[in-house]
Amino acid sequence: MLNFSLFTGITASVLHVISGPDHLAAVTPLAIETRRKIWKIGLFWGFGHLTGMLLIGILLLMFKSFIPLEEISEHSELLVGIVLIAIGLWALFRILYKTKSYKHEAEILNPTHSNDKKMKQHLWSSFGIGVLHGLAGIAHFILLLPVLGFENQMDSILYIVGFGIGTVFAMTLYTFLLGKITTYSKRQPSQSLYRSVRISGGLFAIGIGIYWLYLSF
């Protein structure tokens, strides 16, 4: 039987991930531009998000009296908006200016190596964006407050473990489903659907980034 505290942690984190459009917007363009194992984009974002929350949690515990964490968080939120807009513009640039006829010399000589390199770049970009999201917002710790209400330490640990599992699972599942949609669009006789999916991903990121900047001021 699934432990209640573990289940609560998983539920809280899943709702946190899917209710944040900035989370989804951050990985959507990267996932669409990735050719295989797209679910890894979400996996790396999830681990990055946990890393960011862990870092700010350690700072909060060790240097609470000396570090203006609220100011750092506000600047992090501003940076998230800028990064989202940059990701969206990058995606649109690839769509509008990189034509099918253009191929880099390295891709012609060794396409597998080139694809692997791009995959690694996308994965680490996703991880870095996840870290940034984890650092942005003291509100993340509101989701961890139930830890204080459990009767024993084991339940508290299970809640935190569940929170980590839910965060990684939710974003991995999202990018997996997005990958299925992208793959389906690629297989159509006309590339208009695939192009529309790519453009939508870029515009989604830009729109959420602009909204995030608006909230930061």
Side-chain angles (χ1 to χ4, degrees):
M1 184 177 180
L2 186 63
N3 182 277
F4 175 75
S5 56
L6 180 66
F7 174 77
T8 304
I10 293 174
T11 303
S13 60
V14 169
L15 292 176
H16 168 62
V17 170
I18 64 177
S19 64
D22 56 304
H23 299 158
L24 307 182
V27 300
T28 296
L30 288 174
I32 292 174
E33 297 300 324
T34 301
R35 296 186 179 181
R36 55 191 179 87
K37 297 182 180 179
I38 300 176
W39 57 269
K40 285 188 176 182
I41 298 294
L43 182 68
F44 271 62
W45 183 94
F47 283 125
H49 189 273
L50 293 178
T51 301
M53 291 185 66
L54 179 61
L55 288 174
I56 201 171
I58 292 174
L59 290 174
L60 181 64
L61 292 174
M62 297 180 62
F63 308 104
K64 183 178 180 180
S65 303
F66 306 100
I67 297 180
L69 288 176
E70 291 187 3
E71 294 182 11
I72 294 175
S73 176
E74 289 177 2
H75 290 300
S76 297
E77 293 174 354
L78 180 66
L79 187 57
V80 167
I82 296 174
V83 169
L84 286 175
I85 294 174
I87 292 174
L89 291 175
W90 165 80
L92 294 180
F93 176 81
R94 286 177 58 89
I95 298 167
L96 299 176
Y97 294 99
K98 189 174 182 180
T99 61
K100 295 180 181 180
S101 59
Y102 173 79
K103 291 184 179 180
H104 192 277
E105 183 179 356
E107 293 180 345
I108 298 175
L109 296 176
N110 193 349
T112 302
H113 173 74
S114 178
N115 290 337
D116 289 342
K117 184 178 180 180
K118 288 182 180 179
M119 181 65 175
K120 289 180 181 179
Q121 291 174 343
H122 289 178
L123 290 178
W124 286 114
S125 296
S126 183
F127 178 82
I129 295 168
V131 172
L132 185 59
H133 270 110
L135 291 172
I138 298 296
H140 282 142
F141 290 97
I142 296 177
L143 296 169
L144 298 178
L145 287 179
V147 169
L148 303 177
F150 292 117
E151 296 181 357
N152 57 70
Q153 188 175 11
M154 180 56 65
D155 284 336
S156 299
I157 293 174
L158 287 174
Y159 178 88
I160 294 174
V161 171
F163 193 91
I165 293 173
T167 299
V168 175
F169 170 77
M171 191 56 79
T172 302
L173 179 61
Y174 171 73
T175 49
F176 173 78
L177 295 175
L178 183 61
K180 292 295 184 181
I181 295 174
T182 303
T183 301
Y184 171 79
S185 65
K186 286 181 181 179
R187 293 174 178 174
Q188 301 307 304
S190 172
Q191 289 295 301
S192 59
L193 178 59
Y194 177 50
R195 183 181 175 87
S196 298
V197 170
R198 297 176 70 194
I199 293 176
S200 297
L203 293 177
F204 180 41
I206 293 173
I208 298 300
I210 293 174
Y211 180 69
W212 196 261
L213 288 179
Y214 172 75
L215 294 178
S216 300
F217 291 105

